[in-house]
Amino acid sequence: WYQRRVRGYITNNLRMGQVVTTTDFQYKYDDEPHASRRKEMLAKYPEIKSLFGPDPYMKWLVPLIVTFQLVSAYYIVQLPGWAIFFLAWALAGTLNHNLSLAMHEISHNLAFGHSSPRMNRFIGFVANIPLCVPSSITFKKYHLDHHRYQGDNKLDVDIPSQFEGIFFYNTFTKLIWVILQPLFYSIRPLFVHPKPVETLEIFNTIWTISWNWAIYNFIGGWALAYLGGGTLLGLGLHPMAGHFISEHYTFVKGQETYSYYGPLNYLAWNVGYHNEHHDFPYVSWSRLPRVREIAPEYYQMPSYSSWSWVLYKYITDPEIGPYSRVKRGMNPANVPAVSTGDEKKAE
C-alpha cells in the first residue's frame, strides 16, 4: 500500500520519461541454479576440473596497472581541465573499473590460490590503491554470499533495495541511478544486511587513506581528484559498468544470470562470462572461455554482445527497472500478519 501511494504521488507530480511497469521483484522458491548446473556439468565433463586454480599472470598485471595509473595521474593533471575530466572518465574510469574487477577475481583467491589467503588479501589491497575508496575486503565479505545465496531476500545485497525500486521509477530517475551506481553498490549492504566490521577492513581503510595522503602530498590534490573521480565515473555511466546490469537483471523473464561475449571482456578480466563464472567460481578469468568451449550446450541461452546497449536498454525500456531481479524467499507483501504454522508445511 505504502509503495503504491509513494509511486503514485511521484508519478503524478514528476513526469520525467516513461514510467517503469515492473513494480515488484520476481519471486522464486527454488535453490539458486548454479550449484545443480555445476554438479551436472562436472559429471558430464570432469575435465573442467583441470581448469580450476589461480591465474599465473594476475599477480604481475595488477601492480603494473596500478603503477600506470599513478604515473599517468602525475602527467594528466598538468593538462587543461576539460582534458582531465575526459581522461578521468575514459582512462582512469576504465582502468579503475578494471582494478575493481581484479578485486572481484581476488575475492575468489584467483591471484595466488586458496593456499595463500594473505597474499590474495595483499594483492587486493594493491588493486585498491588508485580507487581511493577502501573496498577490497568489504567486497569479498559480501560477494561470496552473492554466490552462495543468489537471489536471497536478505543475504544477496547485489539486488536493489525497495527504496531503489520505488524512487528510480522512470527514464530520468533510472539514468540518475546508473550514474550513482557506485554509491548504491557500496552503501546498500550497510542497510540491507549489515555485518560486523572485520579487522582486515580496518587495515584496508588505513592502507587506502595512507595512499590517498601520499598521492595528495607527492603528486597533488588534482591527481587524487582525478583518480577518485575515475572511480565514480568508471563505475557509473560508463560502458564497462554495463556488466552490473547485464549479469542478473531479467531482460528475459525467468532467466536470472546472463553472459556477455563482447570485446570489453579483454579489459574486464572476462567478467562477461558470468554464467560460466557462477557455475565455476574457482576457474580464473583466463580459463572461463574454455568452460564454454567444453560444454557449449549449457550456454545456449540469451546473452549480450554490448554493455552500452544494455545500459541504453535499461534506461529507456519501461519494462525494466530496479525491480527486474529474481528474489528467493517470501514476498513481504504476502507475509501473513500472524503466523499459523502452515509456512513450514508448505516448505
Side-chain angles (χ1 to χ4, degrees):
W1 172 85
Y2 169 76
Q3 178 180 334
R4 289 196 301 270
R5 289 291 298 272
V6 172
R7 181 180 287 272
Y9 174 82
I10 296 174
T11 301
N12 291 332
N13 290 275
L14 298 171
R15 298 186 180 278
M16 296 173 287
Q18 298 186 79
V19 174
V20 177
T21 57
T22 303
T23 58
D24 200 0
F25 299 104
Q26 178 185 346
Y27 285 87
K28 288 187 176 182
Y29 304 94
D30 56 359
D31 294 328
E32 71 89 18
H34 296 283
S36 59
R37 281 171 55 89
R38 184 181 310 122
K39 183 177 180 180
E40 182 179 322
M41 291 171 70
L42 286 175
K44 188 173 182 179
Y45 299 107
E47 62 267 34
I48 291 178
K49 288 184 179 180
S50 67
L51 304 177
F52 290 4
D55 176 77
Y57 305 108
M58 192 166 203
K59 57 181 174 286
W60 307 112
L61 290 172
V62 167
L64 186 64
I65 297 167
V66 169
T67 302
F68 177 86
Q69 282 287 70
L70 297 177
V71 172
S72 64
Y74 173 80
Y75 291 101
I76 286 172
V77 295
Q78 302 175 40
L79 299 174
W82 66 267
I84 295 174
F85 181 83
F86 173 75
L87 289 172
W89 177 82
L91 181 61
T94 298
L95 293 182
N96 276 4
H97 202 127
N98 171 283
L99 290 169
S100 75
L101 292 173
M103 291 192 298
H104 164 257
E105 286 285 296
I106 294 164
S107 73
H108 292 283
N109 292 328
L110 291 172
F112 289 93
H114 288 312
S115 62
S116 303
R118 290 183 180 178
M119 290 304 298
N120 282 292
R121 301 295 75 76
F122 175 72
I123 199 69
F125 280 21
V126 173
N128 205 156
I129 292 171
L131 275 68
C132 302
V133 179
S135 53
S136 177
I137 299 299
T138 305
F139 175 81
K140 172 182 169 60
K141 182 170 69 174
Y142 284 102
H143 180 68
L144 299 184
D145 282 349
H146 167 61
H147 277 268
R148 295 189 191 104
Y149 311 109
Q150 180 177 316
D152 185 273
N153 218 355
K154 180 180 179 181
L155 299 177
D156 187 358
V157 297
D158 187 69
I159 299 173
S161 63
Q162 286 286 351
F163 168 84
E164 293 165 79
I166 294 171
F167 285 92
F168 299 97
Y169 67 97
N170 67 12
T171 304
F172 177 75
T173 53
K174 284 192 292 180
L175 173 62
I176 299 301
W177 183 87
V178 168
I179 293 172
L180 298 178
Q181 270 190 107
L183 177 64
F184 288 109
Y185 204 77
S186 59
I187 67 172
R188 185 189 301 137
L190 305 179
F191 292 94
V192 175
H193 184 46
K195 292 184 177 185
V197 176
E198 297 178 358
T199 302
L200 277 176
E201 287 181 279
I202 297 173
F203 286 136
N204 193 183
T205 301
I206 295 171
W207 166 273
T208 306
I209 291 174
S210 299
W211 272 98
N212 288 349
W213 178 88
I215 292 168
Y216 179 85
N217 281 278
F218 294 103
I219 306 180
W222 280 110
L224 185 63
Y226 165 77
L227 292 171
T231 300
L232 181 64
L233 295 171
L235 274 69
L237 190 61
H238 190 284
M240 293 276 284
H243 80 88
F244 288 128
I245 295 171
S246 73
E247 290 167 359
H248 297 290
Y249 283 75
T250 52
F251 280 47
V252 177
K253 297 297 182 183
Q255 182 175 332
E256 54 186 298
T257 305
Y258 301 75
S259 289
Y260 156 84
Y261 303 119
L264 288 180
N265 273 322
Y266 291 107
L267 297 173
W269 307 95
N270 278 335
V271 75
Y273 286 81
H274 213 66
N275 267 300
E276 293 85 344
H277 170 64
H278 270 264
D279 289 339
F280 300 101
Y282 197 46
V283 172
S284 69
W285 67 277
S286 56
R287 303 187 191 105
L288 283 174
R290 182 70 182 132
V291 173
R292 187 185 180 208
E293 292 173 6
I294 292 173
E297 70 272 24
Y298 285 90
Y299 300 102
Q300 293 178 355
M301 58 181 75
S303 60
Y304 303 111
S305 59
S306 170
W307 278 333
S308 296
W309 178 87
V310 169
L311 288 173
Y312 173 79
K313 182 74 170 175
Y314 175 84
I315 293 168
T316 61
D317 191 331
E319 294 187 4
I320 303 171
Y323 281 127
S324 299
R325 292 291 297 266
V326 169
K327 272 194 172 187
R328 286 181 166 78
M330 183 68 74
N331 184 339
N334 297 331
V335 174
V338 178
S339 175
T340 64
D342 291 337
E343 298 90 340
K344 284 292 182 183
K345 295 179 184 178
E347 291 176 2

